[in-house]
Amino acid sequence: TQLLEQSPQFLSIQEGENLTVYCNSSSVFSSLQWYRQEPGEGPVLLVTVVTGGEVKKLKRLTFQFGDARKDSSLHITAAQPGDTGLYLCAGGWSGSARQLTFGSGTQLTVLP
Amino acid sequence: DAGVIQSPRHEVTEMGQEVTLRCKPISGHNSLFWYRQTMMRGLELLIYFNNNVPIDDSGMPEDRFSAKMPNASFSTLKIQPSEPRDSAVYFCASRGSGNTIYFGEGSWLTVV
């Protein structure tokens, strides 16, 4: 069973602070995605990374895929209240009908 | 464009009753997923259809759960009989030719 562990589980910070959340697994993934879920909504895709060591930036968000494709991180610079939400990583691997395994999630709260 | 449409948005039912959740995927998408989200277990894949055919239903908890996709624009997830432990948010999601999975807003089920 491929498992994705996310840390921290909960994070509460002040507006303007930086933060990093982590997604770790013992399995090698062919791709890894990050989603954000707001209350009462479904998850929305933020980014997909497919190459070991790959770094992608989305405004104040920086995503990195580990060299061994077993882990990933999401760094947010100068967090804003609008960044509040549940951040989910999801790993995919070729040859599996399950397509994606979701991590346990990090609940981020950014206080004004 | 309309996203993934789910109904009902909220349902409260008594233990033992039948529950039917409905989903209309995004037009043109050939993959459809049913997920269940709870605080304890996070986001779990229940079943995955490709071109209306169930590909992987190993995530379906037990025989009380069944899913159908009679055509490309409609799917149902049925629980009969329902139990309190089935209380969760049930998400339908669809995907086209790319890697992005689009989630609906979810159906919030409470079984009392």
Side-chain angles (χ1 to χ4, degrees):
Chain A
T1 302
Q2 289 81 359
L3 295 176
L4 279 168
E5 298 289 336
Q6 288 188 241
S7 61
Q9 188 176 358
F10 298 96
L11 185 58
S12 182
I13 62 171
Q14 292 293 135
E15 182 176 1
E17 293 183 357
N18 302 332
L19 67 113
T20 303
V21 298
Y22 300 93
C23 175
N24 296 289
S25 174
S26 58
S27 301
V28 176
F29 290 100
S30 58
S31 66
L32 195 133
Q33 298 183 326
W34 284 93
Y35 291 77
R36 181 170 65 208
Q37 184 178 13
E38 298 186 11
E41 305 289 335
V44 175
L45 180 67
L46 296 174
V47 76
T48 301
V49 286
V50 296
T51 305
E54 182 176 2
V55 177
K56 281 192 174 179
K57 292 191 175 184
L58 185 65
K59 296 183 179 179
R60 293 176 294 100
L61 278 61
T62 301
F63 305 86
Q64 184 163 8
F65 202 11
D67 290 341
R69 290 186 287 125
K70 292 183 178 182
D71 56 271
S72 180
S73 64
L74 159 59
H75 181 80
I76 301 179
T77 303
Q80 299 177 359
D83 296 327
T84 293
L86 178 67
Y87 288 81
L88 295 160
C89 65
W93 60 98
S94 58
S96 170
R98 280 190 167 270
Q99 302 293 312
L100 286 179
T101 296
F102 279 84
S104 47
T106 293
Q107 180 62 53
L108 172 66
T109 302
V110 183
L111 304 170
Chain B
D1 290 338
V4 176
I5 299 173
Q6 292 187 243
S7 65
R9 282 279 281 152
H10 299 271
E11 177 147 354
V12 180
T13 190
E14 292 185 343
M15 181 174 64
Q17 296 298 306
E18 178 179 292
V19 173
T20 299
L21 308 179
R22 298 172 177 80
C23 175
K24 176 178 169 58
I26 293 173
S27 178
H29 283 190
N30 59 359
S31 296
L32 183 139
F33 308 84
W34 281 101
Y35 287 89
R36 177 173 66 178
Q37 188 175 39
T38 61
M39 287 291 293
M40 291 297 294
R41 301 175 68 90
L43 197 61
E44 303 173 281
L45 178 65
L46 300 178
I47 188 169
Y48 155 55
F49 291 88
N50 193 50
N51 293 323
N52 313 338
V53 176
I55 302 299
D56 183 0
D57 65 354
S58 59
M60 295 286 264
E62 49 197 90
D63 291 345
R64 296 185 299 106
F65 285 68
S66 62
K68 294 182 179 180
M69 192 167 185
N71 56 63
S73 60
F74 184 66
S75 178
T76 59
L77 177 68
K78 187 173 294 186
I79 308 172
Q80 166 64 22
S82 58
E83 296 182 2
R85 60 189 169 125
D86 301 330
S87 298
V89 184
Y90 290 82
F91 287 102
C92 178
S94 70
R95 185 181 65 193
S97 57
N99 289 324
T100 303
I101 294 179
Y102 295 86
F103 284 80
E105 294 185 318
S107 292
W108 296 65
L109 174 65
T110 302
V111 183
V112 297

